[in-house]
């Protein structure tokens, strides 16, 4: 009775009793196939949970922008809820979410404008990144170095320090995190969402996810304790120090949720949301440059013309480097690192695409269907920087460029990610040419984890 579809609910495949449509894999390719059969707004049922899947630029924009207030909350997804507990930033709601999001946005802005500015930190990190590339003598997989470099830009903000790429403790944390991102996308782990009461006693990938996150949160608790020992509210060093101050200020307002547990989860949110996404994008970028050497050459020509070889790239260069900017946008479009977006919940009864969506329904706005929408892009399946260039070779913005999503829950680290991508990408191509290793083929067939990642690859780099 509970699972009966309300009238005028979006159509979808016939669900099995109890299990629902759990055998429809929750990945963007399956969603694209189902959208062909059932339309831009269709429904699925996972266990007893009804969900609505929204595809294509027009419909996703309608949900996230036109109806900005209606899909601004997160649903409870058991697999995530066990770890994130509805607190922090990414998976919280209401006043607690607003207070934490405001705090994080403010901190990111302060950090960007402060004495040890964001730009300096990223430039400094790009020196370490290039040095690490230089020490590689033969073909190598850039995964660990890129993860280490990107995570340091987030670590500087949270912990006020960077970690060496061979720091065993921190590398272990990154490895555990990457493993979680892989497993979260696996259909077997998603079975936990069907019946958490049962699966919490059964072995399976969900247990690895929980145990990895336990180790990550223990690491964070340790860092927070260290901060508390020499915390000086008059001289905040990083996000943790600022959060400790906020905890004192908001002592009388427990609903804002500023406490040690909130700090652990908020830090986890930023590391989780910031590292894997940005690092994966950069790895797609290097892979596309290996695959399309003529495009790499044009980027290098622009770098040589605008920046030269005697100074480091800086953020002001981006405005006068339309080709490089277009290439980075195209990497983000075709790389499509968060293809499913992140789930929302209907805040009230509403209508979308002519269908009725009851309050509380989980809604997925599929970002890959926007980034690959054949009505918006001239060559949706091909790497084509021309998507972002006008006929005079100047950069042109595109409405359907939504890798960071849109609306109230849109990515709050967009500026940081864009800065990191520009400075790391230009620094690397200023100093190196990347190419495929002799005898090895380049595949652009990505791996579907929770993110969409390039297949493991090795590359050869030569100094310029
Ligand atoms: C290329 C890199 C990145 C991509 C593609 C990306 C993409 C996204 C997407 C698609 C969402 C979900 C938005 C929605 O629910 O509609 C999101 C949320 C979020 N991102 Fe990012 N992100 C990136 C980097 C970062 C960075 C560097 C940070 C911070 C250090 C960050 C922090 C967050 C947070 C905290 C949320 C949750 C926002 C909320 O629920 O209010 N992201 N991101």
């Amino acid at each position: 009775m509970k699972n009966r579809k309300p009238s005028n609910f979006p159509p979808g495949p016939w669900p099995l009793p109890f299990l629902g449509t759990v055998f429809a894999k929750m990945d963007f390719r399956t969603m694209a196939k189902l959208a062909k059969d059932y339309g831009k707004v269709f429904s699925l049922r996972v266990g007893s949970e009804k969900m609505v899947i929204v595809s294509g630029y027009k419909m996703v924009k309608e949900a996230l922008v036109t109806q900005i207030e209606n899909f601004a909350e997160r649903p409870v997804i058991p697999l995530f809820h066990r770890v994130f507990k509805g607190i922090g930033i990414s998976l919280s709601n209401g006043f607690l979410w607003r207070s934490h999001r405001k705090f994080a946005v403010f901190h990111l802005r302060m950090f960007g404008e402060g004495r040890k500015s964001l730009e300096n930190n990223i430039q400094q990190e790009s020196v370490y990144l290039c040095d690490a590339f230089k020490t590689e003598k033969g073909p190598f997989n850039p995964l660990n170095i890129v993860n280490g470099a990107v995570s340091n830009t987030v670590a500087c903000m949270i912990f006020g320090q960077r970690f060496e790429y061979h720091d065993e403790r921190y590398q272990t944390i990154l490895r555990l995190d990457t493993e979680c991102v892989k497993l979260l996308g696996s259909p077997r782990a998603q079975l936990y969402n069907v019946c958490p009461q049962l699966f919490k006693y059964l072995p399976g990938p969900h247990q690895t996810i929980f145990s990895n996150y336990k180790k990550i949160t223990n690491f964070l608790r340790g860092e927070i304790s260290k901060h508390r020992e020499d915390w000086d509210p008059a001289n905040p060093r990083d996000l943790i120090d600022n959060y400790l101050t906020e905890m004192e200020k908001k002592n009388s307002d427990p609903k804002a949720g500023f406490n040690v547990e909130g700090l652990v989860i908020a830090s986890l949110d930023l590391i989780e949301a910031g590292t894997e996404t940005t690092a994966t994008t950069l790895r797609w970028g290097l892979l596309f440059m290996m695959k399309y050497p003529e495009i790499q050459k044009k980027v290098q020509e622009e770098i040589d013309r605008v920046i030269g070889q005697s100074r480091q790239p800086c953020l002001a260069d981006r405005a006068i480097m339309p080709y490089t900017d277009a290439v980075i946008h195209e990497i983000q479009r075709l790389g499509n690192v968060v293809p499913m977006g992140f789930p929302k919940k209907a805040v009230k009864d509403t209508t979308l695409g002519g269908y009725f969506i009851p309050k509380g329904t989980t809604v997925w706005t599929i970002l890959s269907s926007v980034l690959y929408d054949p009505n918006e892009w001239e060559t949706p399946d091909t790497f084509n920087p021309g998507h972002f260039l006008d006929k005079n070779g100047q950069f042109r913005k595109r409405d359907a460029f939504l890798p960071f999503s849109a609306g109230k829950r849109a990515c709050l680290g967009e500026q940081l990610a864009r800065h990191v991508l520009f400075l790391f990408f230009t620094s690397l191509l200023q100093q190196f040419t990347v190419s495929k290793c002799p005898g090895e083929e380049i595949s652009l067939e990505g791996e579907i984890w929770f993110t969409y990642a390039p297949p493991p690859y090795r590359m050869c780099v030569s100094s310029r």
Side-chain angles (χ1 to χ4, degrees):
M1 288 296 285
K2 186 178 161 233
N3 288 332
R4 215 172 35 197
K5 276 189 188 177
S7 76
N8 199 26
F9 194 65
W14 194 250
L16 292 173
F18 180 63
L19 287 172
T21 47
V22 70
F23 297 112
K25 279 202 288 177
M26 286 297 289
D27 70 58
F28 75 97
R29 294 233 167 84
T30 310
M31 297 304 128
K33 278 192 209 118
L34 290 170
K36 277 211 172 101
D37 294 340
Y38 296 98
K40 302 277 184 216
V41 181
F42 68 89
S43 66
L44 289 175
R45 182 156 69 74
V46 175
S48 61
E49 199 58 43
K50 282 188 278 298
M51 48 183 72
V52 168
I53 316 293
V54 184
S55 304
Y57 170 64
K58 276 206 175 116
M59 234 355 109
V60 168
K61 185 181 167 212
E62 161 79 24
L64 296 180
V65 182
T66 316
Q67 301 200 34
I68 190 162
E69 298 293 342
N70 294 351
F71 302 103
E73 291 203 346
R74 299 285 185 212
V76 172
I77 296 187
L79 198 53
F80 290 107
H81 195 74
R82 167 97 180 249
V83 178
F84 291 84
K85 303 174 206 142
I87 56 175
I89 311 164
S90 305
L91 287 150
S92 61
N93 284 321
F95 182 58
L96 189 147
W97 164 69
R98 267 197 306 282
S99 315
H100 274 74
R101 186 164 168 123
K102 199 168 148 199
F103 167 80
V105 168
F106 182 75
H107 183 82
L108 272 166
R109 207 168 288 148
M110 284 299 289
F111 176 73
E113 289 158 6
R115 187 167 42 92
K116 240 171 108 189
S117 82
L118 177 65
E119 182 171 11
N120 284 346
N121 277 341
I122 306 172
Q123 283 175 323
Q124 184 56 46
E125 193 61 43
S126 56
V127 174
Y128 292 115
L129 171 65
C130 292
D131 284 351
F133 268 44
K134 254 178 231 152
T135 57
E136 295 291 340
K137 292 291 170 259
F140 70 103
N141 181 339
L143 181 107
N144 288 343
I145 299 177
V146 168
N147 273 0
V150 169
S151 72
N152 272 338
T153 61
V154 182
C156 279
M157 175 177 77
I158 299 175
F159 310 115
Q161 69 166 103
R162 65 179 296 278
F163 296 87
E164 293 298 331
Y165 301 153
H166 50 260
D167 180 319
E168 204 32 62
R169 223 170 111 239
Y170 195 60
Q171 279 298 332
T172 306
I173 294 299
L174 294 182
R175 261 198 305 276
L176 292 170
D177 190 50
T178 304
E179 188 179 28
C180 285
V181 176
K182 268 188 186 180
L183 293 176
L184 282 167
S186 85
R188 275 190 62 215
Q190 286 168 12
L191 270 181
Y192 180 85
N193 293 330
V194 176
C195 189
Q197 306 302 0
L198 172 68
F199 277 91
K200 74 176 173 197
Y201 299 109
L202 299 180
H206 56 285
Q207 302 291 7
T208 314
I209 294 174
F210 300 146
S211 117
N212 284 10
Y213 275 127
K214 199 164 182 194
K215 290 180 195 143
I216 298 173
T217 49
N218 283 343
F219 168 82
L220 292 172
R221 280 196 190 90
E223 290 298 317
I224 293 167
S225 301
K226 276 195 247 155
H227 270 70
R228 291 187 106 163
E229 282 164 21
D230 46 12
W231 173 49
D232 172 8
N235 291 303
R237 297 158 292 187
D238 48 36
L239 181 135
I240 296 185
D241 279 356
N242 280 336
Y243 195 101
L244 293 172
T245 307
E246 209 63 21
M247 270 164 61
E248 298 233 314
K249 275 203 252 166
K250 299 259 166 53
N251 216 352
S252 55
D253 190 3
K255 286 203 180 113
F258 281 88
N259 50 48
V260 174
E261 217 37 39
L263 174 53
V264 170
I265 300 295
S267 312
L268 186 60
D269 270 329
L270 295 167
I271 296 172
E272 187 83 349
T275 302
E276 193 65 39
T277 45
T278 316
T280 303
T281 307
L282 198 60
R283 288 195 297 119
W284 270 121
L286 295 171
L287 187 65
F288 287 133
M289 293 305 100
M290 281 158 63
K291 180 83 178 173
Y292 305 111
E294 67 292 353
I295 295 180
Q296 176 175 194
K297 196 152 173 270
K298 283 178 84 171
V299 172
Q300 286 171 327
E301 278 165 11
E302 191 173 63
I303 292 173
D304 292 349
R305 201 170 54 249
V306 175
I307 306 170
Q309 284 289 338
S310 57
R311 70 167 175 88
Q312 268 197 293
C314 64
L315 291 175
D317 294 326
R318 182 163 44 199
I320 42 174
M321 296 176 69
Y323 189 76
T324 306
D325 205 8
V327 167
I328 296 173
H329 277 72
E330 184 65 355
I331 292 168
Q332 286 207 267
R333 186 193 71 79
L334 200 64
N336 166 36
V337 298
V338 193
M340 296 281 291
F342 214 56
K344 320 280 191 309
K345 179 172 81 175
V347 176
K348 56 177 191 172
D349 286 356
T350 181
T351 332
L352 189 65
Y355 294 110
F356 174 63
I357 313 226
K359 178 179 172 175
T361 308
T362 297
V363 175
W364 289 85
T365 42
I366 308 297
L367 297 180
S368 58
S369 71
V370 180
L371 297 172
Y372 299 170
D373 188 334
N375 298 321
E376 298 294 325
W377 305 99
E378 294 73 25
T379 57
D381 304 320
T382 310
F383 189 83
N384 172 10
H387 284 137
F388 296 94
L389 292 168
D390 67 14
K391 56 181 185 319
N392 302 318
Q394 291 308 306
F395 182 80
R396 76 162 165 154
K397 278 193 173 161
R398 302 295 299 263
D399 293 340
F401 179 72
L402 292 185
F404 298 102
S405 189
K408 291 234 150 140
R409 301 304 293 236
C411 177
L412 66 76
E414 173 171 348
Q415 282 312 323
L416 173 60
R418 281 169 39 79
H419 292 348
V420 171
L421 288 175
F422 178 77
L423 291 177
F424 280 8
F425 187 71
T426 45
S427 300
L428 285 171
L429 291 194
Q430 181 189 38
Q431 297 199 25
F432 306 101
T433 297
V434 299
S435 52
K436 80 183 186 76
C437 307
E440 292 181 14
E441 281 315 306
I442 297 176
S443 161
L444 295 180
E445 192 52 46
E447 292 187 340
I448 304 179
W449 307 348
F450 184 71
T451 50
Y452 183 56
Y457 64 85
R458 301 194 311 157
M459 59 188 221
C460 289
V461 296
S462 52
S463 291
R464 300 185 60 217

